[in-house]
Amino acid sequence: MKYEHWHIEQDTDDIIWLGLDVAGKSVNVLTVAVLHELANISQHLADTPPAGLVFYSLKSRGFIFGADINEFEAFTSEDEIKAHISVTLAAIQRIEDLPCPTVAMVDGVALGGGCELALGFDVIIGVDNPAVQIGFPEVNLGLLPGYGGTGRMAKRAGLATALSMVLHGKPLNAKAALSSNIFDILVHDNSVLKDEAKKSIKEFSDDKKTVPTTEDIADLIDSETAKITARFREANTPAPFEILRHFAMQNPDQARLIAAETDIFARLMMGDASRGLRRVFALNDTLKKQGRGISEVIHIHVVGAGVMGGDIAAVAAMSGFKVTLQDLNAQTIENAMKRAHALYDRRLKSPDAETAKDRLQADQMGAGLCEADLLIEAVAENLDIKRMVFAEAESKMKAGSIMATNTSAIPLEEIGASLKNPQRLIGMHFFNPVPVLPLVEIVHTAASDTAAIRRAMCVAGAMKKLPVACKSSPGFLVNRALLPYLFAAIDAVVNGENADMIDQALVEFGMPMGPIELADQIGLDVCHDAGIVLGMSETSEARLKSLIVAGTIGRKSGQGFYQWDDKKAIRPRASYDADVLQTMTLRLLTPLVAECRAAVAEGVVESDDIADAAMLFGTGFAAHTGGPLFWAEKNPALAKV
């Protein structure tokens, strides 16, 4: 019988070779159709068992990347989800129960359902290759494994390893998978996989199957519970709490863990948190695709070696670009180079770290400008200074090169007003800290060269950033929406409200930090300067001016609204009435939602999806919500904002 997604061969030794090649997909994903075909195949194998079964991928990239997340949205009830899961569980169980030896050959990414399917085989052979990763990322989607992964991983690798993999969602490389008993065999190259699989079938013995003893993990669960409780609120992010309770069950053997998975998975999948996190996953994928392509940029010249410019240069060189870094102050360049080298030593292995260091060159006099394909200006947020930089650049840069400003709020039309060819000017607004935050706003005017915009999107993608196209307007999208939220909080503090309560309200909501702490983190001087461009109340302006005059500008001065102990704001972090916090959250987020809606209506960004993506990846907006506009649509208090 022929199948759309599976290729079946039977050799002269009566071994079935089962290859997966999902039709219409560049990589293997477990769609509903793929799993239904597997159910039929597994039943046929159970009815007429071969002498051995070998499962492998026919794709050139990866093993199985997991379930098709897009199909999750088609499920409308927990019962529907459970029915789907039961079909897949039965298929994997039939494979596990076959009377013949079974082998899975993992030569690439084996995540989620891909990992779970491999665990149903007697022997798992892995390839010692950096491309090989195995694990359970489901918690990042607000879920836990649903195809028997918790039970089979616990049996194969032990409860502690299974709990860690499921709770944290971090995949293991090939060597770690071998040492954890997930892989039985590790080969050096794909070319020997088939021979090793045949050997494994020929020499297979149940006695060789190592099953770890069921260890007591009560202390580990207590420790992980304390960590999770400190980071998350169950009302917003229930999956980690459900996972901990799942592994804390009495007598957690394979059968009990698998049986309990289904109800938990279905409940989580129909919940708001998973819906929101799945939307974040989809938006991330959308922005990644926008950054794919050839930029024709080899050499980037950065003007301004402060924190932003230096870090932009560092990340660009780490991403493979030749980078020259210019600043009037030699010491500023030297400091930026030191930060860059420290970044490479943390993130890269030798010799990649040394190669990245070689690509980043100090260039105080700006000799690299003439040869650069792209200029990124990152000087002070001062219109006159920026105009001077671009006037000089226009006279020196070669034809076809791009001029980009990292301005956070100044409209490009004002910066480019004196240029002879303003179409060469675009915006590339990175977010601080550049090595951490993924968003880049690619800003354009009516005059901007569309090819330059497209090339800049690809540069951002090559830097492993997520590009969002924005029409030039004050604050673009992120700062336009973020600043009114910050100023509303500052106004509230000036009017006598408790700063700690405000921050705790937004942390409870799911923000990485509250607005007052964030203002201190950004720098009150920076907030003030942005407010001059974007607008702020007289109340906020007066308080910020007084703090700036006093030299208390936030974290970088050790004092702002809070005192700071290095990277941590010293605040009570007290407990407050939940209803009061919720009311406060709605009030403070109202202007943020309103600005996002207005930006979409004005065409600053093309859709609600892109606005949400920008706020999620540029500000760390609470991920479980799926983004401010997605969240607001479900909240009657914000429906008409």
Side-chain angles (χ1 to χ4, degrees):
M1 182 175 181
K2 288 190 175 181
Y3 295 93
E4 184 179 5
H5 306 290
W6 298 89
H7 180 71
I8 302 174
E9 285 187 60
Q10 190 164 11
D11 67 18
T12 54
D13 295 320
D14 193 28
I15 296 173
I16 294 288
W17 296 82
L18 179 62
L20 178 60
D21 185 5
V22 178
K25 304 281 187 181
S26 60
V27 297
N28 284 329
V29 288
L30 297 179
T31 65
V32 171
V34 167
L35 291 171
H36 274 284
E37 287 189 354
L38 178 64
N40 291 333
I41 292 167
S42 66
Q43 186 60 63
H44 176 74
L45 291 169
D47 293 340
T48 56
L53 172 66
V54 180
F55 170 43
Y56 65 105
S57 166
L58 281 162
K59 296 289 189 187
S60 59
R61 187 161 69 94
F63 176 70
I64 301 175
F65 280 72
D68 188 341
I69 305 302
N70 296 323
E71 290 190 342
F72 283 13
E73 308 314 311
F75 293 106
T76 59
S77 70
E78 291 185 26
D79 287 342
E80 198 176 340
I81 296 166
K82 291 175 186 179
H84 163 72
I85 289 174
S86 68
V87 171
T88 303
L89 285 177
I92 298 175
Q93 191 62 52
R94 281 192 289 269
I95 291 171
E96 187 173 56
D97 292 341
L98 286 173
C100 63
T102 60
V103 177
M105 303 191 304
V106 177
D107 62 348
V109 171
L111 298 178
C115 176
E116 292 178 283
L117 182 51
L119 290 171
F121 287 74
D122 296 319
V123 178
I124 304 178
I125 304 174
V127 180
D128 189 8
N129 187 301
V132 174
Q133 297 180 37
I134 188 162
F136 300 120
E138 287 89 345
V139 68
N140 299 313
L141 300 175
L143 301 167
L144 83 169
Y147 296 151
T150 63
R152 289 193 173 91
M153 185 60 79
K155 181 178 179 182
R156 180 174 271 270
L159 282 167
T161 297
L163 171 61
S164 178
M165 293 181 70
V166 173
L167 184 63
H168 299 294
K170 294 180 180 178
L172 301 181
N173 63 27
K175 283 188 171 68
L178 180 68
S179 64
S180 300
N181 205 55
I182 300 168
F183 288 168
D184 299 284
I185 300 167
L186 195 61
V187 299
H188 68 277
D189 189 78
N190 286 41
S191 62
V192 298
L193 272 173
K194 289 193 174 182
D195 288 340
E196 194 63 47
K198 287 182 179 180
K199 181 181 176 183
S200 296
I201 289 173
K202 183 178 180 180
E203 299 178 357
F204 179 77
S205 169
D206 281 327
D207 295 337
K208 293 183 179 181
K209 294 175 70 175
T210 303
V211 180
T213 56
T214 303
E215 67 270 46
D216 183 0
I217 61 165
D219 288 344
L220 177 59
I221 288 175
D222 287 344
S223 174
E224 293 286 12
T225 299
K227 294 174 187 175
I228 292 298
T229 303
R231 292 179 57 204
F232 301 107
R233 305 294 180 271
E234 185 167 4
N236 297 336
T237 315
F241 298 89
E242 292 274 19
I243 289 166
L244 286 164
R245 286 192 290 269
H246 179 61
F247 279 93
M249 72 164 63
Q250 290 188 339
N251 303 317
D253 61 13
Q254 174 174 318
R256 287 187 181 89
L257 286 166
I258 291 175
E261 272 183 11
T262 300
D263 285 346
I264 301 170
F265 184 95
R267 183 169 63 251
L268 288 172
M269 187 168 159
M270 292 305 297
D272 287 341
S274 181
R275 290 184 192 278
L277 290 169
R278 297 197 308 268
R279 187 166 190 267
V280 173
F281 177 88
L283 292 174
N284 183 288
D285 192 51
T286 295
L287 297 194
K288 278 184 178 179
K289 289 177 180 176
Q290 291 185 170
R292 291 176 187 162
I294 299 172
S295 69
E296 297 180 341
V297 170
I298 297 172
H299 179 181
I300 298 175
H301 185 78
V302 179
V303 177
V307 172
M308 285 300 295
D311 286 356
I312 291 168
V315 173
M318 187 168 63
S319 304
F321 294 99
K322 175 184 176 181
V323 181
T324 43
L325 179 59
Q326 180 181 0
D327 196 283
L328 293 173
N329 190 316
Q331 185 61 52
T332 302
I333 297 177
E334 184 178 341
N335 293 341
M337 298 290 283
K338 287 179 180 177
R339 287 199 315 275
H341 289 190
L343 175 69
Y344 304 153
D345 290 338
R346 287 196 311 272
R347 296 265 187 102
L348 304 174
K349 295 179 180 179
S350 183
D352 293 340
E354 297 306 315
T355 303
K357 292 173 186 177
D358 291 341
R359 284 194 294 262
L360 178 60
Q361 301 171 17
D363 183 16
Q364 186 178 4
M365 303 308 295
L369 182 62
C370 298
E371 298 300 322
D373 304 301
L374 167 65
L375 160 68
I376 301 178
E377 166 272 310
V379 300
E381 197 74 347
N382 180 293
L383 179 58
D384 291 336
I385 296 174
K386 290 181 184 294
R387 283 177 171 171
M388 287 174 57
V389 169
F390 285 109
E392 181 179 0
E394 188 175 35
S395 68
K396 292 182 178 180
M397 293 189 75
K398 63 185 181 182
S401 57
I402 305 167
M403 297 190 297
T405 174
N406 183 55
T407 181
S408 59
I410 302 174
L412 266 64
E413 291 86 349
E414 296 181 19
I415 296 173
S418 59
L419 292 177
K420 295 176 182 177
N421 297 299
Q423 67 270 19
R424 295 180 70 181
L425 179 66
I426 64 167
M428 292 187 73
H429 178 215
F430 292 79
F431 290 81
N432 191 24
V434 177
V436 176
L437 290 179
L439 189 77
V440 181
E441 289 178 315
I442 307 296
V443 187
H444 57 88
T445 69
S448 295
D449 178 17
T450 55
I453 291 294
R454 179 67 208 142
R455 291 170 66 197
M457 299 279 278
C458 295
V459 169
M463 293 173 69
K464 296 182 174 59
K465 299 296 182 183
L466 302 175
V468 164
C470 294
K471 184 174 75 174
S472 175
S473 64
F476 315 131
L477 185 282
V478 172
N479 283 341
R480 171 180 177 162
L482 183 66
L483 267 296
Y485 157 70
L486 294 185
F487 291 139
I490 292 170
D491 284 348
V493 171
V494 174
N495 290 328
E497 294 190 46
N498 184 329
D500 183 68
M501 181 183 287
I502 289 172
D503 281 345
Q504 198 59 30
L506 275 301
V507 170
E508 294 275 352
F509 174 71
M511 297 295 213
M513 66 180 67
I516 301 300
E517 186 175 349
L518 179 59
D520 266 2
Q521 181 84 255
I522 293 169
L524 303 184
D525 53 339
V526 176
C527 291
H528 174 270
D529 291 347
I532 295 298
V533 176
L534 297 175
M536 57 183 157
S537 70
E538 292 181 1
T539 302
S540 286
E541 184 174 6
R543 174 54 67 91
L544 290 176
K545 277 184 177 179
S546 68
L547 290 168
I548 292 167
V549 169
T552 52
I553 56 175
R555 176 190 159 191
K556 55 192 172 185
S557 68
Q559 173 75 52
F561 285 102
Y562 298 113
Q563 286 188 338
W564 284 77
D565 180 9
D566 190 22
K567 296 181 180 180
K568 188 174 183 180
I570 301 171
R571 65 179 185 85
R573 292 174 168 80
S575 296
Y576 304 96
D577 180 84
D579 290 338
V580 173
L581 296 185
Q582 185 175 20
T583 300
M584 186 175 283
T585 297
L586 287 171
R587 172 165 55 87
L588 293 175
L589 288 177
T590 294
L592 184 152
V593 169
E595 290 298 336
C596 285
R597 283 195 175 130
V600 174
E602 295 166 18
V604 174
V605 291
E606 65 181 25
S607 66
D608 286 7
D609 284 353
I610 299 301
D612 277 347
M615 297 308 293
L616 285 162
F617 304 124
T619 72
F621 194 90
H624 70 89
T625 67
L629 296 183
F630 186 72
W631 168 71
E633 286 300 318
K634 298 179 292 181
N635 196 314
L638 294 168
K640 295 183 179 180
V641 168

